[in-house]
Amino acid sequence: MILAMVLLIGAVSIALAAPLLLRRLTDTSMAPATVLSAWLGSIGGAVFFGVSAVVVLLWPDHAPAESAVETLARCWSVISHAAAPWIIEAGAGLGVLALAAVAMRATVVGRRHTREQSRVRAYHREVLAIVARSRGDGVMWLDHPVPMAYSVGGRPGIVVATDGLAACLSVGEREAVLAHERAHLRGQHHRMVSVCAILAEVFPRVPLFVAAPTAVKILIELTADQYAARVTSAATVHSALTAVSDSSLPRPAGTLGLSNDMSLRLWALRTAGRTRWPRLSNTAVATVSMFGPVFTVMLGVSATAAVVCA
Ligand SMILES: [Zn+2]
């Protein structure tokens, strides 16, 4: 029971406190990919520990990690064993009901999102097959004078650009724009946006999941810009974005386009820092965001138990 409570408190604290902390990170010079990792770690932590709390309550005897936790908090374990069995059973029953309701809602919403995404991809493939042409560079080019580029997720994903883009940008700027769109496909950004949208719909009152879609969309744009800046240069991405910033062409629904959050992106290109070991630091930040709150609660339980015992 102690372990279930620790996990549940950890999940709730991530869900409530994480958005406040993470929003502040977005306004700093920290690398966007690192902030994005913190968001994804927090989202994973809230889901994983919320589900784990119910699983632990349902475990027939003691869950595998429970004895370790109880060793840390022996005093609480006495209270736990003294608790009337009906309290644990009622908690487990409520947990199962809540989990079943969430699983059903997630299935319905997830299937609807998947269908919509498939429809968008099929539509783009059909239309592009007729009106666009390939020049052997992996990009589908549209004969349109307004500069624009966007990517459609899936396997394989598609990068679409207009002739207007090729006409109004230099070779380097065009390469920067295409690198940005390819970064969306390589980073599975469309999938991240979909998962966040599904969680926001399944948990409309949980602050972390409500805030995630907007924050993650902004961060993936900044991350793709950073990738493009590595392929070309920050100055090239900056001038490319400035050149296409007054493009009047609307971005197709269900795609990630060039015109999102332009002023923030120009600011981030000037200020965003670089991490020396990006993969390592992103993994570390995601791990801390995921496990940190539960570990903190566990420490709190141990400290309180130590005080009570003393
Ligand atoms: Zn983009």
Side-chain angles (χ1 to χ4, degrees):
M1 185 176 173
I2 294 174
L3 181 58
M5 277 175 59
V6 166
L7 296 174
L8 190 63
I9 295 170
V12 171
S13 50
I14 297 174
L16 296 180
L20 300 171
L21 300 170
L22 295 172
R23 265 200 212 106
R24 287 189 189 164
L25 287 183
T26 312
D27 297 332
T28 65
S29 59
M30 190 181 270
T34 311
V35 185
L36 182 61
S37 302
W39 272 94
L40 298 179
S42 300
I43 291 168
V47 172
F48 177 72
F49 291 117
V51 173
S52 299
V54 180
V55 172
V56 166
L57 272 179
L58 287 173
W59 209 271
D61 194 5
H62 283 268
E66 182 126 28
S67 56
V69 176
E70 287 183 357
T71 312
L72 279 173
R74 227 173 264 285
C75 287
W76 288 111
S77 118
V78 172
I79 298 166
S80 159
H81 287 136
W86 70 265
I87 295 178
I88 298 171
E89 281 165 18
L94 282 173
V96 169
L97 283 179
L99 209 57
V102 165
M104 270 172 58
R105 177 117 181 92
T107 309
V108 171
V109 174
R111 285 182 68 169
R112 179 157 50 74
H113 272 262
T114 310
R115 267 201 307 271
E116 278 169 18
Q117 286 295 314
S118 307
R119 192 180 54 75
V120 166
R121 281 197 293 271
Y123 172 78
H124 276 275
R125 287 216 158 80
E126 283 168 22
V127 172
L128 290 170
I130 300 167
V131 300
R133 66 199 181 286
S134 172
R135 296 176 185 164
D137 53 1
V139 179
M140 298 302 283
W141 291 94
L142 289 170
D143 181 15
H144 198 287
V146 177
M148 190 186 181
Y150 64 89
S151 55
V152 185
R155 288 186 186 172
I158 313 168
V159 174
V160 185
T162 59
D163 287 343
L165 186 89
C168 86
L169 299 183
S170 69
V171 174
E173 289 168 341
R174 193 173 62 199
E175 211 32 62
V177 168
L178 297 179
H180 172 101
E181 298 306 331
R182 290 188 186 112
H184 283 320
L185 300 180
R186 278 166 53 109
Q188 309 257 15
H189 291 169
H190 301 79
R191 187 166 293 176
M192 285 179 197
V193 170
S194 287
V195 170
C196 289
I198 291 169
L199 286 172
E201 209 175 321
V202 175
F203 302 98
R205 288 178 192 278
V206 177
L208 176 66
F209 299 135
V210 172
T214 307
V216 167
K217 261 186 206 166
I218 292 171
L219 285 166
I220 59 177
E221 292 306 331
L222 302 184
T223 305
D225 284 343
Q226 294 292 312
Y227 176 79
R230 283 200 297 279
V231 172
T232 55
S233 71
T236 310
V237 179
H238 194 285
S239 66
L241 288 180
T242 310
V244 298
S245 59
D246 44 354
S247 162
S248 57
L249 214 58
R251 182 172 58 86
T255 65
L256 292 172
L258 189 61
S259 53
N260 308 44
D261 309 298
M262 198 59 82
S263 56
L264 177 65
R265 288 170 61 185
L266 292 174
W267 172 80
L269 273 169
R270 289 194 298 271
T271 58
R274 280 206 180 171
T275 316
R276 189 171 287 185
W277 296 289
R279 272 192 193 185
L280 188 67
S281 56
N282 293 351
T283 310
V285 166
T287 309
V288 169
S289 311
M290 187 169 178
F291 293 98
V294 171
F295 190 67
T296 310
V297 175
M298 217 176 267
L299 278 181
V301 168
S302 308
T304 314
V307 171
V308 171
C309 285

